[in-house]
C-alpha cells in the first residue's frame, strides 16, 4: 500500500516502529537526556509532598516490578505539581518518559534504547497534539490524548512491536478519551490523575493489541475521529509532516518552578525583584501589576474562582499567578514545599497575593505568537484555516489576517525552536517607590539560551529535589549503559526519595 493510501495512524506507526537511537540527531538525544533528568526531578519533588505520599500509599512505589503499575504511579507523581516538561505541543513526558523508564527497569532496555523510546513517544504525542491545538485554550495537562499517545508509543517502541500492532494499539488507545472537568481539577487532587488514568488506559490498549484486538485505523482523521472531536480547526498534516527531520523533542521547555508554564516569566521577574528589594510583606506593598500575554491573563481569570486563600487546593495554586508571585516576593523561592498545606495556609502569602492583578499586554501576546511554542507554529501550519479559529478572532479582531500573515511560513526544522511567554511585573510600594522587572522569555523555555544551558538547568532541578551527584552522573551518561546498569541508574535516581 502506498503511503498516500495509508491512514495517518498507519503512516505514523510505519515510521515510529523503525526509529533507532542512531536515527536521532545528537542534539535531540541530549534533549531527551535532559528531559529524563527533569522528569525524575519532578517525580522526586512530588514524593516529598503529601499528595505524592498519598499516591504511593494508594498505588505502591514508583519502582515496583509491574511496569504498568510503575508507569501509572510515575506519571501521577510527575504531573501532580505541574512540574513536568512542555513541548510543542503538549505535556509529553508523563507517558513518554515514565513508561519507557518503567520498561527499562525490567531489564528490557539499555540506555540508548530507553532514549530512542522516549524520543519516539515524544514525536508521536506531540504531533497528534499539535494537530488538535487550535481548540479552546488551557487544556494543557488535561489534553488526555497526548498522554494516551505518548504512553502507547513508549511501550510499543520499548517492546519492539510490529507496525500492525502499533496501528491497532494507537487506534484502541485513542478510541476512548477521558475528559477531566476543570472544576474537579482546580478544587481537588484530580490533577494527579489527568495523565495517570490515560497512561494506564493506553498500556491496556497495547496489551490488548498484542493479543489480537483491533483498533480504528482512521481514528485520527475520520469525520467522527479524534481531530474532528477535539479541534475547531484540525491540522491533520501535522501528524506526519517531516518525520525524522523535524524533531519535537527539540522544542522542550524545562520548568524551574512548579506550576503552569504560562506563569513562569512572572515568577522570574518576582525572583529578581526579591533579590533587589529583599522580603516584601503586604504592608510594604500598595499593589503588584503583572502584565502578561493572553495566555497568562486568561489563566488567572480561569482559576480565580477556585482561589480561596488558605483553603486553596494544591492544583489551583499551581495555576495562580498571584500565589506564586507573592511567595517569591516574600521568600525569594517557589518550589514543591511552597505547595505543602502549611505553606498554602500562610495568611501573609495570601494577603500579598490579593494585591496582585494581571493585565493583558498585546505586545507580549504578539511576541508569544511569533515563537514556535505554544501557539505560533500551529497558526503557521494552519495558514488561512486559522481564521476560522474563534480564539484568534476574539483576540485579534479584524487584525487577524494581518497577524497571521506576519507569522510567516511553517518551520522546516525545530533546531531553533522558541517559546516566548513573557511578563512584566511592576510593584508600587506604599512609600511611593515603583520597581519594575521584565522578562521576555522565562528561564528554561525553548530557545537558544536554554539549548546552551539545558544541562545546567536540569542539574539544578535534580539536585534541588535531593538527587545526588552520583545518580546525576549516571543519568547524564545513560547512553553508554547496558540494560542492568540502566536499571540501576534509574533506581538510584529515585532511591532516596522513595
Amino acid at each position: 500500500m502506498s503511503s498516500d493510501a495509508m491512514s495517518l495512524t498507519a503512516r505514523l506507526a510505519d515510521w515510529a516502529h523503525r526509529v533507532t537511537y542512531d536515527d536521532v540527531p545528537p542534539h535531540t538525544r541530549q534533549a531527551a537526556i535532559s528531559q529524563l533528568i527533569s522528569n525524575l526531578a519532578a517525580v522526586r519533588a512530588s514524593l516529598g509532598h503529601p499528595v505524592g505520599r498519598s499516591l504511593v500509599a494508594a498505588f505502591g512505589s514508583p519502582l515496583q516490578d509491574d511496569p504498568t503499575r510503575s508507569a501509572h504511579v510515575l506519571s501521577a507523581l510527575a504531573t501532580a505539581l505541574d512540574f513536568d516538561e512542555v513541548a510543542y505541543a503538549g505535556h509529553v513526558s508523563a507517558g513518554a518518559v515514565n513508561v519507557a523508564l518503567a520498561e527499562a527497569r525490567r531489564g528490557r532496555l539499555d540506555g540508548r534504547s530507553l532514549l530512542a523510546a522516549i524520543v519516539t513517544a515524544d514525536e508521536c504525542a506531540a504531533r497528534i497534539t499539535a494537530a488538535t491545538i487550535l481548540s479552546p485554550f488551557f487544556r494543557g495537562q488535561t489534553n488526555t490524548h497526548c498522554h494516551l499517545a505518548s504512553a502507547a508509543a513508549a511501550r510499543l517502541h520499548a517492546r519492539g512491536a510490529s507496525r500492525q500492532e502499533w496501528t491497532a494499539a494507537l487506534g484502541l488507545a485513542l478510541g476512548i478519551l477521558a475528559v477531566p472537568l476543570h472544576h474537579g481539577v482546580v478544587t481537588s487532587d484530580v490533577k494527579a490523575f489527568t495523565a495517570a488514568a490515560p497512561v494506564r488506559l493506553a498500556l491496556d490498549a497495547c496489551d490488548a493489541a498484542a493479543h489480537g484486538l483491533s483498533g480504528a485505523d482512521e481514528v485520527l482523521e475520520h469525520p467522527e475521529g479524534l481531530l474532528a472531536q477535539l479541534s475547531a480547526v484540525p491540522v491533520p498534516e501535522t501528524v506526519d509532516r517531516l518525520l525524522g527531520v523535524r524533531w519535537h523533542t527539540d522544542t522542550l521547555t524545562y520548568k524551574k518552578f512548579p506550576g503552569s508554564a504560562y506563569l513562569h516569566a512572572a515568577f522570574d521577574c518576582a525572583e529578581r525583584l526579591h533579590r533587589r528589594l529583599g522580603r516584601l510583606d503586604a504592608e510594604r506593598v500598595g499593589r503588584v501589576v503583572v502584565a502578561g500575554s493572553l495566555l497568562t491573563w486568561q489563566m488567572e481569570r480561569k482559576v480565580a474562582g477556585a482561589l480561596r486563600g488558605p483553603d486553596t487546593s494544591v492544583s489551583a495554586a499551581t495555576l495562580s499567578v498571584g500565589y506564586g508571585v507573592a511567595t517569591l516576593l516574600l521568600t525569594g523561592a517557589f518550589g514543591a514545599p511552597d505547595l505543602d498545606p502549611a505553606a498554602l495556609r500562610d495568611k501573609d502569602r495570601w494577603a500579598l497575593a490579593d494585591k496582585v492583578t494581571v493585565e493583558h499586554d498585546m505586545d507580549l501576546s504578539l511576541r508569544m505568537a511569533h515563537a514556535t511554542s505554544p501557539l505560533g507554529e500551529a497558526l503557521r501550519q494552519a495558514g488561512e484555516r486559522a481564521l476560522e479559529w474563534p480564539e484568534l478572532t476574539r483576540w485579534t479582531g479584524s487584525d487577524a489576517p494581518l497577524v497571521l500573515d506576519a507569522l510567516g511560513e511553517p518551520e522546516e526544522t525545530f533546531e531553533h525552536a522558541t517559546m516566548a511567554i513573557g511578563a512584566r511585573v511592576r510593584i508600587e510600594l506604599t512609600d511611593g517607590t515603583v520597581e519594575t522587572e521584565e522578562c521576555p522569555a522565562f528561564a528554561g523555555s525553548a530557545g537558544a539560551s536554554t539549548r546552551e544551558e539545558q544541562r545546567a538547568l536540569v542539574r539544578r532541578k535534580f539536585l534541588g529535589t535531593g538527587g545526588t551527584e552520583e545518580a546525576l552522573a549516571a543519568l547524564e551518561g545513560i547512553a553508554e549503559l547496558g540494560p542492568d546498569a540502566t536499571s540501576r541508574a534509574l533506581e538510584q535516581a529515585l532511591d532516596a526519595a522513595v
Side-chain angles (χ1 to χ4, degrees), residues 81-150:
L81 302 182
D82 216 330
F83 211 2
D84 56 323
E85 302 71 49
V86 182
Y88 172 73
H91 291 249
V92 294
S93 294
V97 176
N98 295 304
V99 173
L101 189 162
E103 294 291 330
R105 277 202 65 254
R106 293 193 66 194
R108 295 176 184 275
L109 305 180
D110 60 19
R112 294 187 175 196
S113 298
L114 169 66
L115 294 173
I118 290 171
V119 172
T120 304
D122 285 346
E123 294 304 310
C124 293
R127 288 167 174 276
I128 291 171
T129 307
T132 68
I133 208 70
L134 298 184
S135 58
F137 281 138
F138 307 125
R139 288 203 299 233
Q141 280 186 336
T142 64
N143 262 329
T144 54
H145 56 293
C146 182
H147 309 311
L148 289 163
S150 60

Side-chain angles (χ1 to χ4, degrees), residues 313-334:
S313 72
V314 172
S315 296
T318 67
L319 304 176
S320 169
V321 177
Y323 180 74
V325 165
T327 299
L328 282 154
L329 292 176
L330 281 165
T331 71
F334 184 59

Side-chain angles (χ1 to χ4, degrees), residues 22-34:
D22 291 335
D23 294 324
V24 182
H27 61 271
T28 308
R29 298 173 195 163
Q30 183 55 55
I33 293 173
S34 295

Side-chain angles (χ1 to χ4, degrees), residues 22 32 37 44 94 99 145 149 188 253 255 302 317 357 376 392 429 474:
D22 291 335
I37 295 169
R44 293 185 62 88
V99 173
H145 56 293
S188 72
T253 282
K255 292 182 181 178
K302 191 169 178 66
T357 60
L392 178 63
L429 301 178

Side-chain angles (χ1 to χ4, degrees), residues 273-469:
L273 286 163
H274 177 87
R275 289 181 192 149
R276 194 161 80 232
L277 303 173
R279 180 182 175 91
L280 287 172
D281 295 295
E283 292 78 9
R284 290 183 60 193
V285 176
R287 67 172 185 155
V288 180
V289 180
V290 176
S293 73
L294 180 73
L295 299 177
T296 307
W297 175 68
Q298 287 195 348
M299 175 65 81
E300 188 70 4
R301 294 178 70 199
K302 191 169 178 66
V303 77
L307 300 177
R308 302 188 176 102
D311 295 321
T312 298
S313 72
V314 172
S315 296
T318 67
L319 304 176
S320 169
V321 177
Y323 180 74
V325 165
T327 299
L328 282 154
L329 292 176
L330 281 165
T331 71
F334 184 59
D338 297 296
L339 297 169
D340 281 352
L344 288 171
R345 288 194 296 267
D346 183 351
K347 293 182 179 179
D348 290 342
R349 299 184 189 215
W350 291 107
L352 185 52
D354 286 343
K355 297 190 175 186
V356 178
T357 60
V358 182
E359 299 178 348
H360 177 217
D361 185 297
M362 181 60 82
D363 288 340
L364 289 173
S365 287
L366 292 173
R367 186 186 304 166
M368 174 270 294
H370 277 80
T372 307
S373 179
L375 186 58
E377 186 60 15
L379 294 173
R380 282 187 284 271
Q381 188 73 52
E384 290 188 359
R385 287 172 292 175
L387 297 174
E388 301 171 17
W389 184 41
E391 300 280 1
L392 178 63
T393 52
R394 275 197 289 269
W395 163 37
T396 59
S398 60
D399 290 334
L402 295 175
V403 170
L404 193 61
D405 186 61
L407 300 182
E409 297 298 315
E411 298 175 38
E412 294 297 306
T413 174
F414 284 149
E415 288 185 55
H416 308 292
T418 57
M419 175 186 273
I421 300 177
R424 185 171 57 257
V425 176
R426 184 177 77 251
I427 300 180
E428 300 172 4
L429 301 178
T430 53
D431 65 5
T433 304
V434 176
E435 298 284 349
T436 303
E437 274 288 345
E438 184 164 2
C439 176
F442 61 86
S445 57
S449 62
T450 294
R451 279 185 284 278
E452 293 176 3
E453 301 168 11
Q454 65 175 264
R455 183 179 178 189
L457 285 166
V458 300
R459 282 181 62 87
R460 287 194 294 270
K461 182 174 178 178
F462 185 80
L463 296 173
T465 57
T468 66
E469 289 279 4

